[in-house]
Structures are given as C-alpha cells and as structure tokens.
C-alpha cells in the first residue's frame, strides 16, 4: 500500500518506543545509567524535542564541536576525562603553531555544553545512592526530560502516552521497592515497548486493518484474511515450562490449545462474509511457509463438493506474480559492476614525503595512499568506537618508553611491579572502563614480568638506547626530491652495529613478507639509520627485531626477520640497502603520470579487514562480486 500511496486506518498503532516522546524517555533513562556514553549523548542532543538553553552559544554548533573534539573515538569514562580530551584537542598544531580562533571558539562552545550536561546528569543521578525508590527515580527521570525538552515533551498522542507511563510509575512505584539505574532502564524500555499509541492519519475512507477480535464487530463488503500460514494464524500452542497438561487439568486451567479454537472461531466468522479473500504466502522471512490447516481443509472440502462447478478456493492468477516481479525488477538487465579503481593524478599532486609505515601501505594498496595523501581524506572515528586494541598497543609503547626514561642505567629489583603500574596508568588514561581493566590486569602483570626479563637481557649487551627517535632520508627522483621518514620504537647501538626494534601487540609480519618487500618498515628504518638520518652516527643494522607483547600464555615473542636461513640469504644491512633501492625504483615509477594508484595490488597481504578506504574503492563490488583478483605489478 505504501507503493501506491494508500494509508489505511490500522488498529495496531505504533509502539511508544518508536515515537519521539518514547525515544526521548528511553534516552534519558539510559543517560542516567551511563552519563558519558557518546551514542546516548548525541542521541539526546540531536533529538528533535530537545532544546537546551546555553545563553549566547548556539546549541547546534556546540553539539557539533562536542562530537568532533570529545565524543569521537573511545568512550570517556567520566565528564572529567571528557573535558580533558577537549583540552587536549585544543593543543598546538603538529607544526607547533597555536590553535586558530575558530578552534578556540569551538572548544569554548564544547566546554559550555559539557558543563551544562554534567550539571543535568549530576542532578538526575543524585537520587541514586546507589539505589533509589522507584517513584523517586521516576520523578528524577521526569525532571530530566522536562529539563531537556520542556513541556513540549508531553505534547501530542505520544507525549500523552509517555506522561501517563511516568505518572503511573510515580504513583505506584513506591510499593515496588528500590531500583538501580540499569534496573530503571530495563523497566522503562519494557514499558515503552508494551505501550501502543493510536496515531490515525488514514487517507483511505473505506479501508481498515484490524485484528481478528476487532474484525468480529465490523461488517465489510470485502474481507481479506491474510497471514494464513502455520505459526501465524493459527499461532502454535504455547509451551509452559512450569505446568504440564495434566497439572493444568488438575488445577482447572484451560488447555494450551484453547487459543487455537478461539482463532478458528475468528477465522470462521470473518470467512463467512459476503466476499472473502484468503491469502497465504509461499515464503515468510526468507523461509518456506506452510499453508494454514484451515486452508488445507477448505481445499479438501472444495474437491469433495464438485469444485469445478462451485469454486471455493481460487488460486492467484499467474500474471499477478509476473506483475509483482516486474515492479521490483532492476532497470538494467544485468548489473554493471565497478571496475578496480586506478586513478592517475598529475605528477605535481603525488606525495613527495612518506613515512615507512606509509610505504608499507603503498606497496600493498596504492589507492589508500591516493585517498589519504592526494585527496586528503582522513579517517573519522565513530563516537564511542572500541579502540581497545590500539589503546593497548599505545599503552605498551608508552610503558616501554617510560621504562627507559625512568631507569636509563640499571633496573631496580621491583621493576616488574612498577612496570605493571605504568601499564595500568596508560590503560586508564586511554579510557578503559572497569570491566575492561579487570580483563587487562592479569595481562598487564604478565607483560610486566616479560618486559623486565627482556630489558635485563638486552641491557646486558651494554648498548646505547634510542627511544622513539624520528629520522628522515631524502633522495633525488624524477619528480623532485623525495623524503622518507620514520619514528623508531627503539634502536640499540653497540660495537657490532645496530638493532632496529619495533614493538607490536598484534600480529607481526613474517620473514618472508619482509624479504619480499611487503613489510618494509624495519628495513627502511635501518636504511635511514645507515645514511645518518637519525640523531646518531651512520650505523649499519645488525638485527631487525619485531617484539610482540601480549601478556597471554606466551607473554612475548622476539622475531629476528633478518636472520639468515632458508627464507633469507642476506644480512640486515643488505636487506636495508636492497629495500631502499626498491623504494627509489617505486618512486621513479610513480613519478610517471601513467602509473596508476590501483587498489589492492597485493590482496594476499591485505589481511581480513582491509584498509580504511576499501569502501571508496568499492572493493567488495569488483573483487568479490565482479571476480577481479589481481592487479598489474
């Protein structure tokens, strides 16, 4: 009916939790339980009924600033951490320049909105300690709704239903005992789902959609009985997990099949109309459907009553199915799938500087470099997105850096305990909640013990440690000078050379990938070191180490990808020299405008999740559906 613009008078109405006033009450109840949940906060601030008074500050601008500077990324655990994140977002730019006037204004607007939200949340949460009588909690919820939306929250049919629901909670809630904030959320959500609002708005004067019981009271020229499939009409007999059939009979309770008999009576009364159309579907919810038992019996009766002269059950004409298929058929006979993107931007737009991690992405997926470095598209974090893996990795890196700065020489005896404390502080600063910290504490303990042993073994060599050092190397290319940059987790300088180390918390590249050039992070970092690009004398690399720290059954693993063997016949210094030559050849090739930035040139090394720009490259369309597998080298 929506296809043809027909709106019928439906007696079912809409659940209150799908209407504006119900959604607002639900969001307010959830906000009382989780005060800094980004989804809840943004749902409230962008709700059409909410209108906050922030004085001279525009609420819409303040909401956008708060979302951009404070709510995107991991969920803040409190308003204090939210404000700390806002202040960090106001820090100086990467080049050290002070923030612009517009950025300062947006920060002030976001802080004003954050302060207003914190005061509202504190007032609403004050009634809990940690429990509150249900009537008091309902009053606090009502006050919060009115503080956000005023009396407009109770306007309209949905507003009246929401007001009646909260009024009943206030009136009868005292006898139901105390509730916690999450209990209030569950109760309110259940009540909102059970409340039905009749909205009206029908445009057809003589068309109604009624329930089976309501249809008994109506006489119609034509009665359409739909949903005649087993499990829909009639519904199956309910299964009582507490009372068996003999027990129900002994207690004088009706049998479970009684409702089927009532449904059969409703069916008979409706089917005895002057003109009745009985409808069943062959598939429901994507699954084959079985015709109702009543239709089977009518079909049998029709066959036994000489149905050729007196048809009772009339099958749908074949052309009706053809009509419906034609309505939903695509305009084109065959889909035109996208081809693998291979843009060729002008040479002067192509990047002249890349970090070693960017080169690794460039080798596997040049289109990602095109989108990021040429189009200038940056990844936008989702509000409240889970970033625990990245936060855990940053915490490990911060703890290792802090170990070296705290104890530049010898390590104390209680080093493991203090390292564990470093990890806890870093995880807490990253926004880990109590539940996540409970899982991370034993992992952090294992990490701390393993890191202590690792540090003692490495320092026995008497090496000079360079931590989180930045380096750069420039070389000539056809399109102009090209600069390669790197930020090394650790470089250890000793008499035999240098060990270039990168710490990982996830999977590490294999030696085969490093040798083949698909993971050039360590080799190119070693090349920069050999050319004097770091704050150290030019030094040839002797080791290229990936250190994987997880804290699990095997807390840490050290992998020397420069170890000579079956997969590798070159030393670490030779690998670095060869990788630098490969990079120069790649830069020379891409300085030619005819060389495209194709997507997924090495799909076997892209991993299970791909990159941040796969949706722009329409990878699923050309790689999975279209069947393209390989790109030109």
């Amino acid at each position: 009916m929506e296809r043809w613009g027909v709106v019928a008078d439906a007696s079912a109405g809409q659940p209150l939790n799908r209407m504006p006033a119900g959604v607002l009450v639900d969001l307010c109840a959830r906000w009382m339980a989780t005060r800094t949940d980004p989804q809840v906060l943004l749902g409230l601030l962008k709700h059409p009924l909410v209108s906050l008074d922030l004085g001279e500050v525009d609420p819409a601008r303040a909401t956008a600033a708060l979302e951009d500077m404070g709510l995107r990324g991991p969920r803040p655990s409190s308003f204090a951490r939210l404000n700390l994140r806002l202040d960090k977002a106001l820090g100086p730019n990467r080049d050290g320049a002070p923030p612009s006037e517009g950025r300062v204004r947006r920060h002030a607007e976001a802080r004003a909105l954050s302060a207003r939200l914190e005061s509202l949340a504190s007032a609403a949460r004050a009634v809990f300690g940690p429990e509150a009588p249900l009537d008091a909690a309902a009053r606090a919820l009502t006050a919060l709704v009115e503080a956000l939306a005023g009396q407009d929250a109770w306007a309209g049919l949905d507003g009246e239903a929401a007001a009646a629901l909260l009024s009943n909670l206030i009136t009868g809630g005292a006898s139901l005992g105390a509730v916690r904030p999450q209990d209030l959320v569950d109760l309110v959500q259940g009540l909102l789902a059970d409340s039905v609002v009749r909205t009206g708005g029908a445009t057809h004067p003589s068309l109604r959609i009624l329930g089976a019981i309501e249809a008994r009271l109506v006489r119609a020229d034509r009665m359409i009985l739909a949903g005649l499939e087993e499990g829909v009409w009639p519904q199956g007999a309910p299964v009582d997990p507490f009372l068996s059939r003999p027990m129900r009979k002994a207690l004088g309770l009706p049998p479970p099949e009684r409702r089927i008999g009532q449904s059969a009576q409703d069916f008979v009364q409706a089917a005895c109309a002057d003109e009745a159309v009985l409808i069943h579907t062959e598939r429901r919810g994507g699954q084959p459907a079985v015709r109702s038992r009543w239709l089977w019996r009518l079909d049998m009766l029709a066959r036994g009553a000489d149905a050729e002269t007196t048809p009772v059950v009339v099958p749908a004409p074949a052309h009706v199915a053809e009509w419906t298929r034609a309505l939903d058929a695509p305009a084109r006979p065959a889909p035109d799938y996208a081809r693998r993107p291979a843009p060729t931007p002008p040479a002067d737009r192509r990047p002249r500087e890349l970090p070693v991690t960017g080169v690794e992405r460039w080798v596997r997926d040049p289109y990602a470099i095109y989108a990021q470095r040429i189009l200038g598209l940056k990844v936008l974090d989702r509000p409240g997105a889970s970033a625990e893996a990245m936060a855990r990795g940053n915490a490990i890196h911060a703890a290792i850096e802090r170990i070296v700065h705290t104890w530049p020489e010898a390590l104390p005896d209680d080093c493991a305990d203090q390292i564990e404390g470093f990890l806890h502080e870093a995880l807490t600063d990253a926004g880990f909640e109590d539940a996540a910290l409970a899982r991370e504490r034993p992992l952090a303990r294992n990490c701390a013990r393993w890191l202590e042993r690792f540090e003692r073994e490495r320092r026995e060599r008497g090496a000079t440690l360079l931590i989180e050092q930045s380096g750069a190397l420039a070389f000539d290319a056809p399109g102009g000078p090209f600069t390669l940059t790197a930020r090394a987790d650790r470089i250890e300088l000793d008499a035999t050379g240098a060990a270039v180390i990168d710490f990982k918390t996830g999977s590490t590249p294999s030696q085969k990938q490093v040798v083949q050039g698909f993971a050039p992070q360590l080799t190119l970092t070693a090349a920069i070191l050999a050319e004097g690009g770091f704050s150290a004398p030019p030094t040839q690399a002797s080791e290229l180490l990936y250190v994987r720290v997880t804290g699990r059954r095997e807390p840490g693993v050290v992998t020397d990808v420069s170890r000579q063997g079956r997969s590798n016949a070159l030393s670490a210094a030779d690998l670095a020299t060869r990788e630098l030559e490969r990079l120069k050849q790649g830069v020379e090739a891409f300085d030619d405008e005819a060389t495209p930035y194709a997507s997924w040139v090495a799909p076997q090394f892209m991993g299970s999740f791909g990159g941040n720009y796969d949706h722009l490259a329409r990878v699923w369309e050309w790689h999975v559906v279209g069947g393209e597998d390989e790109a030109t080298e």
Side-chain angles (χ1 to χ4, degrees):
M1 289 189 293
E2 289 180 356
R3 183 194 299 275
W4 308 110
V6 176
V7 181
D9 182 13
S11 64
Q14 288 190 22
L16 182 56
N17 61 354
R18 297 184 183 179
M19 306 188 73
V23 171
L24 178 60
V25 173
D26 180 27
L27 287 172
C28 288
R30 290 165 56 191
W31 189 32
M32 293 172 67
T34 55
R35 292 181 291 179
T36 54
D37 189 327
Q39 285 89 356
V40 174
L41 280 175
L42 292 175
L44 275 173
L45 294 173
K46 297 182 180 183
H47 194 281
L49 296 178
V50 172
S51 58
L52 284 175
D53 184 10
L54 300 178
E56 298 180 357
V57 177
D58 182 13
R61 274 207 327 262
T63 300
L66 182 64
E67 177 182 355
D68 182 42
M69 305 176 73
L71 296 181
R72 290 193 173 273
R75 167 186 168 184
S77 58
S78 63
F79 276 99
R81 293 196 177 278
L82 174 59
N83 294 331
L84 181 62
R85 184 182 297 182
L86 291 175
D87 294 340
K88 287 183 178 179
L90 187 63
N93 299 323
R94 291 183 178 180
D95 55 0
S100 62
E101 294 182 2
R103 194 173 174 186
V104 173
R105 185 191 72 251
R106 296 179 72 244
H107 172 265
E109 294 172 347
R111 284 300 301 262
L113 179 57
S114 175
R116 175 64 172 153
L117 292 174
E118 184 176 6
S119 64
L120 289 174
S122 300
R125 190 66 181 264
V127 69
F128 292 98
E131 295 183 342
L134 180 56
D135 57 338
R139 289 191 184 93
L141 177 59
T142 304
L144 179 59
V145 172
E146 293 182 347
L148 291 170
Q151 295 302 315
D152 293 340
W154 318 123
L157 296 175
D158 57 333
E160 293 177 4
L165 186 150
L166 293 177
S167 177
N168 292 335
L169 280 181
I170 294 173
T171 303
S175 59
L176 298 179
V179 295
R180 294 172 298 178
Q182 189 57 46
D183 298 333
L184 180 64
V185 174
D186 297 338
L187 176 61
V188 169
Q189 287 181 342
L191 294 174
L192 290 173
D194 293 338
S195 300
V196 178
V197 180
R198 288 291 306 273
T199 56
T203 60
H204 200 283
S206 58
L207 185 61
R208 298 181 183 179
I209 300 177
L210 304 174
I213 298 178
E214 296 168 314
R216 294 185 190 179
L217 309 176
V218 175
R219 300 300 300 176
D221 297 332
R222 175 178 296 163
M223 188 75 73
I224 302 175
L225 283 71
L228 290 174
E229 297 96 37
E230 282 294 312
V232 180
W233 198 7
Q235 294 183 354
V239 178
D240 194 333
F242 302 104
L243 296 176
S244 63
R245 296 176 187 273
M247 295 170 66
R248 295 179 65 90
K249 184 176 181 181
L251 294 173
L253 297 175
E257 292 82 6
R258 181 183 179 185
R259 184 70 190 105
I260 297 181
Q262 294 176 347
S263 298
Q265 182 180 3
D266 298 336
F267 170 77
V268 170
Q269 291 189 6
C272 288
D274 295 338
E275 183 179 352
V277 180
L278 311 182
I279 297 178
H280 78 92
T281 60
E282 295 179 356
R283 301 184 69 86
R284 178 175 288 274
Q287 302 295 327
V290 179
R291 287 196 301 171
S292 173
R293 63 192 68 178
W294 302 323
L295 287 183
W296 286 107
R297 293 185 180 182
L298 282 175
D299 194 9
M300 293 172 61
L301 288 173
R303 293 176 185 176
D306 192 10
E308 294 182 1
T309 57
T310 309
V312 177
V313 180
V314 181
H319 62 273
V320 174
E322 296 176 0
W323 288 348
T324 58
R325 293 191 181 98
L327 285 173
D328 296 322
R332 291 172 294 186
D336 185 14
Y337 298 121
R339 305 295 297 173
R340 182 195 299 265
T344 55
D348 57 351
R349 295 291 307 276
R350 304 195 175 202
R352 308 312 305 166
E353 178 179 333
L354 278 180
V356 292
T357 53
V359 173
E360 185 168 337
R361 173 60 65 179
W362 191 13
V363 170
R364 302 170 186 236
D365 187 14
Y367 184 85
I369 299 300
Y370 167 77
Q372 181 182 13
R373 302 281 176 171
I374 299 177
L375 298 183
L377 303 177
K378 297 181 180 179
V379 179
L380 193 63
D381 294 331
R382 291 176 295 175
S386 176
E388 292 187 356
M390 181 180 297
R392 187 184 300 109
N394 293 337
I396 294 290
H397 282 77
I400 294 172
E401 181 179 2
R402 192 171 175 183
I403 290 170
V404 177
H405 290 318
T406 305
W407 306 297
E409 301 296 336
L411 298 177
D413 295 335
D414 61 344
C415 177
D417 294 336
Q418 298 189 48
I419 294 175
E420 184 180 354
F422 297 163
L423 291 171
H424 289 170
E425 292 180 18
L427 292 172
T428 303
D429 293 340
F432 274 63
E433 299 294 332
D434 294 339
L437 284 175
R439 183 189 67 243
E440 295 294 333
R441 286 191 181 96
L443 300 179
R445 187 179 305 111
N446 293 339
C447 286
R449 293 171 180 172
W450 189 87
L451 284 172
E452 180 190 13
R453 294 194 300 270
F454 174 79
E455 285 291 334
R456 293 188 187 279
E457 292 174 1
R458 300 301 299 182
R459 295 193 183 196
E460 288 177 356
R461 306 171 52 171
T464 301
L465 306 183
L466 301 180
I467 302 296
E468 297 292 338
Q469 292 288 320
S470 297
L473 170 64
F475 56 86
D476 293 330
F482 187 91
T483 303
L484 177 68
T485 63
R487 184 171 180 84
D489 289 348
R490 176 182 290 193
I491 298 176
E492 297 180 353
L493 303 175
D494 56 22
T496 61
V500 182
I501 302 175
D502 186 67
F503 292 93
K504 300 285 189 183
T505 56
S507 61
T508 59
S510 64
Q511 185 184 47
K512 185 177 181 180
Q513 293 180 13
V514 174
V515 173
Q516 292 180 346
F518 290 105
Q521 179 181 357
L522 290 183
T523 50
L524 289 179
T525 303
I528 296 175
L529 177 64
E531 297 292 333
F534 287 95
S535 59
T539 308
Q540 296 289 339
S542 58
E543 289 181 302
L544 303 176
L545 304 179
Y546 279 112
V547 180
R548 184 170 183 256
V549 185
T550 62
R552 301 187 183 277
R553 178 176 298 179
E554 194 173 13
V557 178
V558 180
T559 303
D560 185 359
V561 295
S562 62
R563 183 183 67 256
Q564 295 181 343
R566 181 183 303 176
S567 302
N568 176 37
L570 302 177
S571 65
D574 294 335
L575 286 173
T577 302
R578 188 183 68 174
E579 202 57 51
L580 182 58
E581 290 301 320
R582 282 179 175 172
L583 175 63
K584 292 180 179 179
Q585 294 173 8
V587 172
E588 181 179 355
F590 274 87
D591 280 344
D592 182 2
E593 292 187 359
T595 303
Y597 285 82
S599 175
W600 276 37
V601 298
Q604 65 272 32
F605 296 116
M606 287 300 298
S608 302
F609 301 99
N612 294 319
Y613 304 97
D614 291 349
H615 60 296
L616 297 178
R618 299 168 74 172
V619 169
W620 281 98
E621 189 170 339
W622 59 259
H623 180 61
V624 179
V625 182
E628 285 191 54
D629 293 328
E630 299 180 359
T632 56
E633 295 185 0

